[in-house]
Amino acid sequence: MTELLDWFAENQESILFFAGKVVVALVIIIGGFILSRAIARTMVRRLDKRNIDNAVVSFMAGIIRTIILIGALLMALSHVGVQTTSFIAILGAAGLAIGLALQGSLSNFASGVLIMIYRPFKSGDYVDAGGTAGTVQRIELFTTVFKTPDNKLVIVPNSKITGSEITNFSEEPIRRVDMVIGVSYTANLKKTKEVLMDVITSDERTLKDPAPRVAVTALNDSSVDFIVRPWVNSADYWPMYWDSMERIKNALDENDIGIPFPQMDVHLHHPDGAAGSLRVVQQQSDKLENKQDNKQQEQKQG
């Protein structure tokens, strides 16, 4: 006991200096813990205001807290004299190995976070993304689930969605229905335009603002093409399209306006006229009979 007291007396300054470092290290760890919780809470509040999925918010908050706590622990160890270079190297190597092993999953997760933060679409929207067109059912961390118009569920990786164009058909409240109607060159263009305009304006689903438009768009080989473009509410797009095509066909028939179809005229010319063609057939028939006779003679001689 006396020796221990003597050693303490001789190394009192060093012990007090080290104890001070330990206290500072503990303060760093406690401060890191408090800072991590404060930053996580701030992130959760801001992400909640943007209606981000709770699972994503909790996961990201946990990652931020873990990173801050690891940093505080390394700072505390370094302050008390522990060499943290080896720890940092080990953590870096482990992070690299994990990142390479989970490269695809991490890419899908990062893409899922971007989708939930920037929200190019939401559940219930009809979109064309990642090569799939359908209604968005669920947006998950790694995948997005679509339901196609023929009632199939398609699960698409989030990285494939963010890596391609996204077309959202439900984002805007109104849409323009684009139809191209071809009529015969013998049709009266003014009358045709009036008939087409009457068909779309008589439909109560057609919006007055923006105004519908009917105009000649092309002079093709066998038809004069009209564009027919009414504006409707997004929910009425396909019903309006299907009904309008049927009504346009009936209206054109009632007004004797023809809808042409592709035609091709093939002309065959013979230098000697029709008799020449018969004569060629007869010559070919004579040659065939001569060949058959020669074969029979060869068989008899053999």
Side-chain angles (χ1 to χ4, degrees):
M1 187 65 179
T2 304
E3 293 179 356
L4 181 61
L5 293 175
D6 292 340
W7 179 85
F8 183 79
E10 292 176 359
N11 298 279
Q12 184 176 4
E13 293 182 359
S14 299
I15 294 173
L16 292 175
F17 181 75
F18 183 76
K21 285 189 174 182
V22 171
V23 171
V24 173
L26 292 174
V27 171
I28 292 174
I29 293 175
I30 295 172
F33 181 77
I34 296 173
L35 180 63
S36 66
R37 293 189 63 181
I39 293 177
R41 288 176 181 175
T42 303
M43 176 184 294
V44 169
R45 285 197 299 267
R46 292 189 176 182
L47 293 179
D48 284 340
K49 291 180 180 180
R50 305 189 65 173
N51 297 323
I52 306 300
D53 187 82
N54 291 331
V56 177
V57 174
S58 300
F59 187 82
M60 294 182 65
I63 290 178
I64 295 299
R65 291 185 60 185
T66 303
I67 292 174
I68 294 175
L69 288 175
I70 292 175
L73 180 61
L74 292 176
M75 290 177 61
L77 292 175
S78 177
H79 189 74
V80 297
V82 178
Q83 295 295 327
T84 58
T85 305
S86 58
F87 289 101
I88 295 175
I90 292 172
L91 290 175
L96 179 61
I98 294 173
L100 292 175
L102 302 176
Q103 183 177 3
S105 298
L106 291 177
S107 176
N108 288 327
F109 171 76
S111 299
V113 172
L114 292 176
I115 292 173
M116 293 180 182
I117 291 177
Y118 293 104
R119 304 189 69 81
F121 52 81
K122 59 184 181 297
S123 296
D125 287 351
Y126 185 86
V127 302
D128 185 355
T132 300
T135 303
V136 179
Q137 297 295 299
R138 298 187 304 276
I139 304 173
E140 300 176 347
L141 288 177
F142 299 97
T143 60
T144 298
V145 181
F146 294 90
K147 178 178 283 187
T148 61
D150 55 348
N151 205 33
K152 294 185 297 185
L153 286 180
V154 182
I155 302 174
V156 182
N158 287 331
S159 59
K160 188 175 181 181
I161 294 175
T162 56
S164 61
E165 294 182 354
I166 301 174
T167 303
N168 192 333
F169 298 96
S170 303
E171 182 67 21
E172 299 297 331
I174 63 174
R175 288 182 62 188
R176 189 183 70 189
V177 182
D178 292 348
M179 294 174 283
V180 179
I181 307 299
V183 299
S184 173
Y185 269 93
T186 60
N188 187 308
L189 298 185
K190 182 178 180 181
K191 181 180 179 181
T192 303
K193 186 174 181 180
E194 292 175 352
V195 170
L196 295 175
M197 183 62 76
D198 289 341
V199 170
I200 59 175
T201 54
S202 61
D203 195 313
E204 60 182 8
R205 292 169 294 190
T206 301
L207 301 178
K208 295 182 180 180
D209 186 21
R213 183 173 179 82
V214 176
V216 175
T217 184
L219 302 176
N220 288 323
D221 294 337
S222 58
S223 67
V224 179
D225 289 349
F226 282 81
I227 54 170
V228 182
R229 294 179 175 178
W231 288 83
V232 298
N233 293 321
S234 296
D236 295 331
Y237 181 88
W238 286 112
M240 177 68 178
Y241 181 88
W242 294 324
D243 293 344
S244 296
M245 295 298 286
E246 180 179 352
R247 295 176 61 202
I248 286 173
K249 174 63 169 63
N250 293 332
L252 294 179
D253 290 343
E254 292 173 359
N255 289 273
D256 296 327
I257 299 174
I259 299 178
F261 51 88
Q263 301 182 40
M264 179 181 293
D265 294 335
V266 180
H267 301 274
L268 300 178
H269 297 280
H270 293 281
D272 297 334
S277 62
L278 295 175
R279 187 163 54 250
V280 171
V281 173
Q282 184 64 35
Q283 290 176 354
Q284 292 178 349
S285 178
D286 294 341
K287 290 180 179 180
L288 181 60
E289 291 178 356
N290 291 334
K291 288 182 179 179
Q292 292 177 350
D293 293 340
N294 293 333
K295 287 183 179 180
Q296 292 176 358
Q297 292 177 0
E298 289 176 359
Q299 291 176 355
K300 290 179 180 180
Q301 293 176 359

